[in-house]
Amino acid sequence: MIEWLDDVWSRTRTVQFVEGGEDGGPLRDRTVLAELSDPAAVDAARALTTEGRFLGDICRCHGGPTILLRNAEGQVLASAGIHGHGSVSWQRSRFRDDLAVTDPAALQLFLAEQGVPDQLATFLPPLADLLGLHETNPQFRPAGEAGRRYLAERGVPDVLHPVLVTVTGQQSGELTEAQIDDVRHRLKTAMPSPTGRATILLSWLGRLPIPAEAFCGEGILVRRLLADLALPDVSTAAAGTRTGHVALGVVNLVMHSGDNGTLAAAVGPTLRQLFPPPSTADAVP
């Protein structure tokens, strides 16, 4: 298989990332998500998708997106499905041997920065593990004084505590537009800087337990507040505050709002700091 990979990559002039996995239908009908023709970018894609350890087996999901290698005439030389965080399956039906890539964080960030959607989402499990944010009981923050400590632990600005202690975390995601306007006004008055608000909101979002509170409870409220901010302000906040919580907040936001690669580029250095390249001693042979 290694010899086969060397051969097809030596003849590759264009790399495409197309929508869908092994169940995505004919390759010619797929939407092209990103295309690389610059030799340096093609070389980077090759290194990130072929260096690692073969597992001798395949996962049971269909994967996606799919990598296509094309020669100078535009003919498809090979294809591979991307499976989760750092697994690539080259010509799966032929070889049935997934590759665990050496540097999964670099691969997923590379894809995200090219505009391939949903790649930052693969960082959710490792970030949740790193930060200890898998939910326990209660799933949602309680209301009243019992819930006040949760607000403090999550870095929620004091100015919002009088409003939020009256509702549970789950009810925070169900606030009316008038209630949201009140929260928005309080926050803006206390923190006039859009970048400052973005930093606080991303960190708050990245401190919510996964999945219920982060996706269905307070997470809804925080994402509604972030929606009022311009992308450059959110991007500046993401780039300027290199913490795991802000990084997870960005991942949560992108999972619900999408990204054209701007937020991926902004949070990339933080994710590389949290998930650095393997050392020579730890590298997968």
Side-chain angles (χ1 to χ4, degrees):
M1 186 172 177
I2 294 174
E3 292 179 357
W4 173 83
L5 281 170
D6 286 342
D7 175 61
V8 293
W9 274 102
S10 70
R11 294 184 285 131
T12 294
R13 297 296 176 268
T14 302
V15 179
Q16 291 181 326
F17 300 97
V18 300
E19 193 173 53
E22 277 83 7
D23 61 342
L27 294 173
R28 64 178 178 276
D29 298 332
R30 309 271 191 103
T31 299
V32 176
L33 304 172
E35 182 172 299
L36 310 177
S37 56
D38 177 74
V42 171
D43 287 344
R46 175 177 182 171
L48 290 169
T49 61
T50 62
E51 294 177 1
R53 175 172 56 90
F54 289 104
L55 301 176
D57 197 4
I58 58 173
C59 75
R60 300 302 180 255
C61 76
H62 294 293
T66 295
I67 306 167
L68 297 183
L69 307 186
R70 295 184 181 274
N71 63 16
E73 291 72 40
Q75 298 171 322
V76 175
L77 300 173
S79 64
I82 298 171
H83 291 257
H85 191 74
S87 181
V88 177
S89 190
W90 287 99
Q91 302 290 131
R92 189 186 208 194
S93 61
R94 175 183 176 185
F95 293 109
R96 300 186 65 81
D97 196 355
D98 288 355
L99 175 76
V101 303
T102 298
D103 194 349
L107 172 59
Q108 307 302 157
L109 285 171
F110 178 80
L111 295 174
E113 290 170 13
Q114 303 306 317
V116 178
D118 304 325
Q119 297 310 299
L120 284 188
T122 69
F123 284 93
L124 184 72
L127 279 170
D129 290 342
L130 182 69
L131 300 173
L133 283 173
H134 295 288
E135 70 181 31
T136 55
N137 289 318
Q139 279 190 314
F140 296 97
R141 172 183 56 78
E145 288 305 310
R148 191 179 292 275
R149 72 174 180 85
Y150 291 85
L151 296 175
E153 290 170 357
R154 294 170 185 180
V156 179
D158 291 345
V159 69
L160 302 185
H161 288 200
V163 176
L164 296 181
V165 294
T166 65
V167 296
T168 67
Q170 185 171 14
Q171 291 168 335
S172 295
E174 302 167 352
L175 297 182
T176 66
E177 194 56 43
Q179 290 172 309
I180 291 289
D181 282 341
D182 178 48
V183 172
R184 187 181 292 121
H185 175 72
R186 289 169 181 260
L187 184 61
K188 189 172 184 178
T189 299
M191 303 189 69
S193 166
T195 302
R197 292 200 302 278
T199 301
I200 289 294
L201 291 170
L202 288 173
S203 182
W204 177 5
L205 187 59
R207 292 176 184 272
L208 299 176
I210 296 166
E213 189 82 272
F215 297 155
C216 305
E218 266 181 32
I220 294 175
L221 167 62
V222 182
R223 289 192 298 273
R224 289 174 73 180
L225 296 172
L226 279 164
D228 296 326
L229 297 169
L231 179 59
D233 293 319
V234 179
S235 177
T236 298
T241 310
R242 294 193 176 185
T243 68
H245 294 296
V246 167
L248 184 54
V250 172
V251 170
N252 187 327
L253 179 63
V254 167
M255 287 176 67
H256 292 84
S257 305
D259 181 36
N260 61 4
T262 299
L263 290 177
V267 79
T270 304
L271 290 170
R272 291 308 283 149
Q273 179 178 313
L274 295 170
F275 304 104
S279 66
T280 303
D282 297 333
V284 178

